Amino acid sequence: MILDFFDGAAARKFNQTSHFGAQLDMVLDIFARGSVWVLISPFFFFVPCLEWLVFSVVSNAGATWKDSFSKAPKLVSVVMANNFRTPYGLVAIFGLDLLPLHILYLKSFWYQLVYFYELHIPLFTFLLAGRLLCSYVEFYILFCHLIALIGTST
């Protein structure tokens, strides 16, 4: 999960990008995060389920799924703008990728040895805010998809 920040950049730099590679990257990211969430507690199974649902929606939309948020609520548009390269987008991505690792660290043996109380609460709050922001966008995507499905079924 930590290397997720670098694999896309390396693929672009060496001109090794493909639609298959992008899809595989998302699948492996969701699998890794989901594994960590369930390792923390089986009760967190709903987090990877939400991510899989969103993946199934956006993977059918093609490579331009990130570009379709011009009519979205302001917060969703700000997060999705410039391919997540905004302050809100980065907060969401950090929360998405790092919150489960941070919680797993808090449950680990190492936490008892190396504990920075002054950093723990602000970091946890930052990552939780990012994950909640990401969930807001995910629920918006699912809501739009549901509205589209209802509209096409009538």
Side-chain angles (χ1 to χ4, degrees), residues 64-84:
T64 61
W65 72 270
K66 296 177 194 173
D67 302 330
S68 60
F69 294 96
S70 60
K71 297 179 184 173
K74 182 71 173 165
L75 189 55
V76 173
S77 297
V78 170
V79 170
M80 299 301 295
N82 199 20
N83 201 19
F84 302 105

Side-chain angles (χ1 to χ4, degrees), residues 11-145:
R12 286 185 292 280
K13 178 177 175 148
F14 296 111
N15 199 24
Q16 298 293 315
T17 60
S18 69
H19 180 68
F20 174 77
Q23 296 292 311
L24 182 62
D25 181 56
M26 286 193 293
V27 166
L28 295 175
D29 292 345
I30 295 169
F31 181 77
R33 282 191 304 268
S35 299
V36 174
W37 278 115
V38 173
L39 185 63
I40 293 167
S41 172
F43 294 110
F44 285 125
F45 74 94
F46 63 89
V47 178
C49 288
L50 175 63
E51 291 188 33
W52 283 115
L53 283 170
V54 171
F55 172 74
S56 69
V57 170
V58 300
S59 65
N60 288 328
T64 61
W65 72 270
K66 296 177 194 173
D67 302 330
S68 60
F69 294 96
S70 60
K71 297 179 184 173
K74 182 71 173 165
L75 189 55
V76 173
S77 297
V78 170
V79 170
M80 299 301 295
N82 199 20
N83 201 19
F84 302 105
R85 290 186 186 101
T86 64
Y88 285 101
L90 291 175
V91 169
I93 294 299
F94 283 136
L96 177 72
D97 283 336
L98 299 179
L99 180 63
L101 292 175
H102 182 68
I103 295 172
L104 189 63
Y105 167 74
L106 294 176
K107 289 185 66 170
S108 73
F109 168 76
W110 294 105
Y111 170 72
Q112 297 169 7
L113 298 176
V114 181
Y115 178 62
F116 301 104
Y117 182 76
E118 297 80 19
L119 294 177
H120 161 66
I121 292 177
L123 180 60
F124 179 79
T125 304
F126 173 78
L127 295 175
L128 181 62
R131 187 61 187 98
L132 291 173
L133 189 58
C134 211
S135 296
Y136 177 72
V137 173
E138 290 168 329
F139 279 116
Y140 174 76
I141 291 169
L142 292 176
F143 175 76
C144 290
H145 184 67

